[in-house]
Amino acid sequence: MRAVDIIMRKRDGKELSREELRFLISGYVAGEIPDYQISAWAMAVFFQGMSAAETASLTEVMLHSGAVMDLSGVTGPLVDKHSTGGVGDKTSLILAPIAASLGIKDPMMSGRALGHTGGTLDKLDSIPGYRTSLSAAEFKHILITDGFAMTGQTADIVPADRLLYALRDVSGTVESIPLITASILSKKAAEGAQALVLDVKYGSGAFMKNPADAEKLARSLVDTWRAMGKPIAALLTDMDEPLGKMTGNFLEVEECYDCLAPEAATSHASLSADLMEVTLELAARMAVLGGKAANAAEGRALCEQALASGKPRELFMTNIASQGGDVEQFLSMRGNYRSPHRAEIAAAADGYIARIDAWKTGHAGVVLGVGRNRTEDPVSPTAGIEFHRKRGAAVKKGDPIMTVWGKDQASLEAALPRLAEAVEYSPAAPAERKLILKEIG
Ligand code: URA
């Protein structure tokens, strides 16, 4: 085989075989096929797309480009959740202990904040002592004892994706549905998940800006995972406004702890109600795929009962200790682990909050120090935003909308005008927006 022939076949809209894809990907990982040929192939895929069978082949080939987590001996259904990313999206930290309390095992390998979206690992790293780079043996051990384990991807998991993603980033080929599908699913399969629940987000703060594109991505993900013989469910959820009442690293962990309070299952009035709704609907699908419930309604009831029992919060605390975190210190930091550089944003007009733009808020978060623009940049554990009012709230000029903490004074001052601009007002109450648009699969 020659790489150039495979590139030309894709350029001309032909379907590539698994052998051709293996030749390209393994040659690339081995350093035998250069970046410029893989860039040309990625661009051909961008324009010509891939069939479902081709996408499944690419996913399998990428999966086997490195190590695959050996979770043999772990009893219980292995079910994970993946979100396409957003602002204030912290559902993982709440649903993993809920699912674990039902007897599901959630092997969670997460990522870091990049651009306007937050990262689970950065949030967990804000807990003193908590370790997010576990060895394979530690990951498996904690998965068995706690029912979930949280770690970052190791260098030997799907090396093809690390190389390919960096290349896509600089060759204008990130937004290709088959390439996104293979990237996400190869990593999820490598971490050892059998069944998968997807939170495919749309809106200003999401990767996909409109529901139609999000649905195309969700269908591709669902079809490909099924082609690999594994069960999956996907929800399309709104990411036009940050989820919950906090964005930040420690701030979000704190919100999750509060949401795991036994009364959180039924308290829908709080500013975390949207977060809990998405979390419980995702957890309900995990219960179904894990064989604990016959349908989503039954799954949801089980998750609410679990939450009310207090068991998920206990597991959350157990996991902090298992991964090296200092539980006492964590509890004592709640409510006060904040940067000293603080300011308030007040309503600029009388009326209603029509929208708090997730994309603008996420970018302001990068300026504050919550997120990063380059993978090597540090993040601040104590920067972030607490929302006092969100979409639909009636406001009088001067009412508090957000408290904001910056990693330093200059960052805080740079972010404030951006945040003020993220809030839109209307004279009448805005129309309801559906939080969960539909289920695919
Ligand atoms: N997330 C991934 O892991 N890969 C992509 O290609 C896009 C989003």
Side-chain angles (χ1 to χ4, degrees):
M1 280 188 207
R2 291 192 322 154
V4 64
D5 298 327
I6 302 174
I7 296 165
M8 287 195 290
R9 273 172 43 69
K10 188 74 274 179
R11 180 198 67 191
D12 297 341
K14 303 280 182 342
E15 188 178 50
L16 300 182
S17 68
R18 182 166 299 208
E19 287 63 41
E20 286 172 311
L21 290 165
R22 187 175 296 122
F23 176 80
L24 276 188
I25 298 298
S26 59
Y28 183 42
V29 173
E32 289 155 7
I33 298 180
D35 279 355
Y36 52 81
Q37 284 193 302
I38 298 297
S39 304
W41 166 78
M43 189 57 84
V45 172
F46 181 91
F47 282 112
Q48 295 292 356
M50 277 185 157
S51 68
E54 241 179 326
T55 311
S57 294
L58 177 63
T59 307
E60 299 258 16
V61 166
M62 285 176 62
L63 160 66
H64 294 295
S65 68
V68 175
M69 201 54 89
D70 172 16
L71 296 182
S72 56
V74 179
T75 53
L78 290 157
V79 188
D80 192 15
K81 185 266 329 179
H82 176 80
S83 156
T84 55
V87 183
D89 178 11
K90 52 192 94 67
T91 63
S92 296
L93 301 192
I94 310 172
L95 61 71
I98 294 177
S101 73
L102 301 179
I104 289 167
K105 297 287 193 303
D106 186 349
M108 204 168 255
M109 273 193 192
S110 308
R112 297 208 170 268
L114 193 59
H116 69 283
T117 61
T120 301
L121 296 183
D122 292 311
K123 295 170 199 178
L124 291 167
D125 277 346
S126 72
I127 303 171
Y130 195 98
R131 291 192 305 116
T132 50
S133 57
L134 303 176
S135 68
E138 286 172 321
F139 183 66
K140 187 169 171 179
H141 176 73
I142 295 173
L143 181 63
I144 293 170
T145 56
D146 299 359
F148 67 101
M150 319 284 251
T151 193
Q153 238 181 70
T154 53
D156 53 350
I157 295 270
V158 198
D161 184 60
R162 213 159 316 108
L163 292 170
L164 193 53
Y165 196 87
L167 195 64
R168 286 165 57 206
D169 207 21
V170 293
S171 62
T173 51
V174 166
E175 293 87 354
S176 154
I177 285 185
L179 296 183
I180 297 172
T181 301
S183 165
I184 292 175
L185 296 186
S186 57
K187 287 177 286 193
K188 286 286 136 184
E191 73 176 19
Q194 284 157 355
L196 190 58
V197 176
L198 295 172
D199 181 4
V200 182
K201 297 191 176 291
Y202 62 90
S204 83
F207 204 49
M208 296 294 172
K209 301 297 171 202
N210 62 66
D213 286 342
E215 184 162 345
K216 274 191 217 148
L217 175 59
R219 287 207 183 278
S220 169
L221 288 161
V222 165
D223 291 347
T224 306
W225 194 256
R226 285 204 178 133
M228 293 164 74
K230 296 165 189 255
I232 186 163
L235 296 181
L236 295 192
T237 72
D238 190 37
M239 181 32 74
D240 207 53
E241 183 169 77
L243 208 51
K245 70 169 183 178
M246 309 279 207
T247 73
N249 290 309
F250 189 75
L251 285 164
E252 290 194 35
V253 178
E254 204 178 290
E255 182 176 6
C256 293
Y257 177 84
D258 292 343
C259 285
L260 286 166
E263 60 278 11
T266 46
S267 68
H268 295 295
S270 86
L271 285 165
S272 302
D274 55 353
L275 168 66
M276 284 312 283
E277 182 60 22
V278 174
T279 302
L280 286 167
E281 286 299 306
L282 293 168
R285 270 73 187 178
M286 291 176 80
V288 174
L289 295 185
K292 306 292 175 189
N295 54 49
E298 210 180 293
R300 167 103 184 209
L302 275 182
C303 293
E304 289 185 1
Q305 279 162 24
L307 206 46
S309 76
K311 177 95 177 134
R313 192 193 254 184
E314 275 171 36
L315 287 171
F316 180 82
M317 300 310 287
T318 304
N319 175 260
I320 290 184
S322 302
Q323 299 208 195
D326 185 327
V327 169
E328 289 308 311
Q329 201 180 343
F330 166 72
L331 291 173
S332 71
M333 287 157 67
R334 291 174 52 235
N336 56 51
Y337 190 42
R338 309 281 190 269
S339 163
H341 307 285
R342 168 193 164 137
E344 308 292 328
I345 292 200
D350 288 350
Y352 289 84
I353 298 183
R355 170 166 192 255
I356 299 182
D357 185 288
W359 191 84
K360 288 181 182 167
T361 312
H363 277 285
V366 175
V367 175
L368 289 169
V370 172
R372 56 168 76 76
N373 278 320
R374 293 174 314 162
T375 40
E376 58 274 25
D377 293 343
V379 295
S380 157
T382 57
I385 304 163
E386 176 171 0
F387 299 95
H388 304 298
R389 289 175 169 77
K390 288 178 65 181
R391 181 187 164 78
V395 286
K396 290 251 169 285
K397 192 171 173 185
D399 280 348
I401 307 276
M402 307 174 200
T403 301
V404 188
W405 293 269
K407 64 177 185 223
D408 52 39
Q409 195 59 26
S411 312
L412 178 66
E413 282 165 20
L416 288 177
R418 296 167 191 245
L419 285 169
E421 202 190 298
V423 188
E424 296 172 19
Y425 302 89
S426 59
E432 284 274 314
R433 254 184 99 96
K434 270 189 132 176
L435 196 55
I436 295 171
L437 190 66
K438 59 161 87 167
E439 178 163 3
I440 310 282

